[in-house]
Amino acid sequence: MSVTIDITGLPHERIAFCPSPLAELGAALHALAEPAHHARLHAWTTTTAAALKPELADRLHEADFMWNATRSDILLPPRPRETLAEELDDLDLMDDEKFVASALEISCASHYSDGAPSPLVDAHMRRRALDLAAARGPRQAAFVERMLADPPGTRAWIRRLLEDCDEAFFADTWRRVRVQLAADARHKTELMRRKGLAEAIADASSAMVLEQDADGSRIVVDKLGHARTSAEGSGVTFLPTAFGWPHLIALHAPGWQPVVQYPVPTRELGGGVPVDTVKLRLEAVAHPMRMRLSRSLARGTYTTSELADAYGISAPEVSRHLAVMKRAGLLTTQRRGRYVLHQLDVSVVARLGSDFLESVLR
């Protein structure tokens, strides 16, 4: 389960680490729309939401499908600029079909990796966009209807909305975080120059690796889901974000330059446990007998024979359960003479909930 970006033959000068005000605004808007995802931003989200004028809050609610459950690709620029105004100017150059298809990503989520026609030119996608918007509420439905009926007018409305957010709260926020993000991007760029791309990617997130073999080179982003894209003819852009954790976003739509938005500083914000490891641990603790064994193993060290006697099962059966738990990294073992003692690693189990949440939100 991963998003794979093929970078075979791509020169390093086409791989960029750079902060983006538009991408950071998108991440900030998501944090406001889904504060439960971002407990560590509680002070900022609470203060900012309380200070919003009702009219601006209503408009944000109207268009929140662009940054709520999914992040529209228009909010992840492949060529970041110094200012939000410059990035919005670039966005204005995008044709209506591409803009609307990306803004209404709710209508093509199931077709995202393969590509889907724009709702402006495809009747099925148009009906799908309207149906999905209606499920989100009457105001969202009305907004999608306006976008499909008047793309230029609605695009201008979206730009004004983002500019009003900048004036209301984001300009001050950007001044405070841009230094950190620019420093992180410079560090990754220098790391790539001195030690190679693999080191820079690993430093950005432990959920990303560079794979190289006879078939080429690939950036692999560990996520729940499977997709492939290529940077051939374009490049790859990495956008650091102070608002992103626990999300690690990988733009991989056909026809778009791959973009990865990663949270900083990763080491402080999450453990980066691989999705497959979380799956193994959940499966290990979900079994009724292994749950019962955990009751003893959490309290002290036990041999296989002691556990077999305590729970009335055979020693080989206990060994099979312990092997599953050990593969999942849930046990510690120590040898005392001819005896092997097992104990539950309580610290790992205690993190399982947060590791699971990070995995599904990544």
Side-chain angles (χ1 to χ4, degrees):
M1 292 182 288
S2 60
V3 174
T4 301
I5 303 170
D6 191 338
I7 59 167
T8 302
L10 189 70
H12 280 188
E13 54 265 27
R14 304 287 289 276
I15 300 173
F17 290 86
C18 187
S20 159
L22 178 57
E24 196 67 354
L25 175 55
L29 290 174
H30 170 74
L32 285 173
E34 293 287 353
H37 291 187
H38 304 274
R40 298 177 187 185
L41 297 174
H42 176 73
W44 183 88
T45 55
T46 301
T47 303
T48 302
L52 288 178
K53 294 181 179 179
E55 182 269 343
L56 179 56
D58 285 346
R59 289 159 62 202
L60 286 174
H61 176 64
E62 194 171 348
D64 67 1
F65 55 79
M66 291 194 295
W67 50 75
N68 194 335
T70 59
R71 190 80 54 83
S72 291
D73 291 342
I74 57 174
L75 299 175
L76 297 166
R79 295 175 180 81
R81 304 282 195 163
E82 283 292 319
T83 67
L84 178 64
E86 289 175 304
E87 292 187 329
L88 293 177
D89 288 343
D90 288 344
L91 205 53
D92 287 342
L93 300 177
M94 186 179 295
D95 65 74
D96 283 345
E97 289 184 16
K98 189 172 184 178
F99 183 97
V100 171
S102 174
L104 302 185
E105 198 171 295
I106 55 169
S107 67
C108 63
S110 61
H111 305 282
Y112 183 86
S113 297
D114 302 320
S118 171
L120 289 182
V121 297
D122 185 88
H124 170 71
M125 296 305 294
R126 183 185 184 90
R127 288 192 302 272
R128 181 176 173 81
L130 291 170
D131 289 344
L132 291 173
R136 292 170 181 250
R139 298 196 64 183
Q140 286 83 353
F143 179 75
V144 171
E145 289 175 359
R146 291 204 313 275
M147 177 171 281
L148 293 174
D150 180 21
T154 311
R155 290 178 64 167
W157 184 94
I158 292 172
R159 174 162 184 154
R160 286 194 301 273
L161 173 63
L162 298 177
E163 290 171 337
D164 289 347
C165 288
D166 188 48
E167 181 179 349
F169 64 88
F170 183 69
D172 178 63
T173 298
W174 179 244
R175 278 192 295 270
R176 288 188 284 114
V177 303
R178 66 180 299 180
V179 174
Q180 176 196 15
L181 300 184
D184 184 87
R186 285 194 301 271
H187 171 68
K188 300 296 188 295
T189 302
E190 181 63 14
L191 199 59
M192 179 171 62
R193 185 186 68 81
R194 290 188 294 106
K195 296 187 176 182
L197 179 59
E199 290 284 342
I201 290 174
D203 193 67
S205 173
S206 58
M208 292 193 293
V209 296
L210 177 67
E211 292 185 352
Q212 296 177 294
D213 54 31
D215 295 327
S217 303
R218 298 164 297 281
I219 297 169
V220 180
V221 186
D222 185 37
K223 290 177 70 70
L224 278 172
H226 183 73
R228 300 184 66 88
T229 189
S230 173
E232 183 180 3
S234 57
V236 181
T237 302
F238 291 90
L239 307 174
T241 171
F243 285 85
W245 188 89
H247 308 304
L248 178 62
I249 297 176
L251 188 165
H252 57 275
W256 292 71
Q257 176 172 318
V259 175
V260 176
Q261 187 180 45
Y262 65 94
V264 298
T266 303
R267 291 176 183 82
E268 294 180 11
L269 294 177
V273 176
V275 170
D276 285 344
T277 300
V278 176
K279 180 173 177 288
L280 272 178
R281 290 174 179 172
L282 290 173
E283 290 173 345
V285 298
H287 191 282
M289 179 51 70
R290 290 195 285 272
M291 288 184 69
R292 295 178 65 195
L293 293 173
S294 295
R295 185 174 187 275
S296 295
L297 293 166
R299 289 167 167 78
T301 57
Y302 288 85
T303 67
T304 300
S305 298
E306 289 174 326
L307 292 170
D309 182 68
Y311 291 97
I313 59 178
S314 67
E317 188 175 355
V318 172
S319 295
R320 286 193 292 272
H321 286 303
L322 294 181
V324 172
M325 298 175 73
K326 192 170 183 179
R327 279 198 301 273
L330 298 176
L331 294 183
T332 62
T333 60
Q334 57 179 302
R335 180 173 290 278
R336 187 176 299 162
R338 62 189 183 90
Y339 297 102
V340 176
L341 301 173
H342 307 277
Q343 187 170 22
L344 194 69
D345 191 332
V346 177
S347 63
V348 172
V349 178
R351 291 197 305 268
L352 190 52
S354 59
D355 289 341
F356 170 72
L357 186 60
E358 180 185 352
S359 296
V360 298
L361 292 177
R362 188 183 295 163

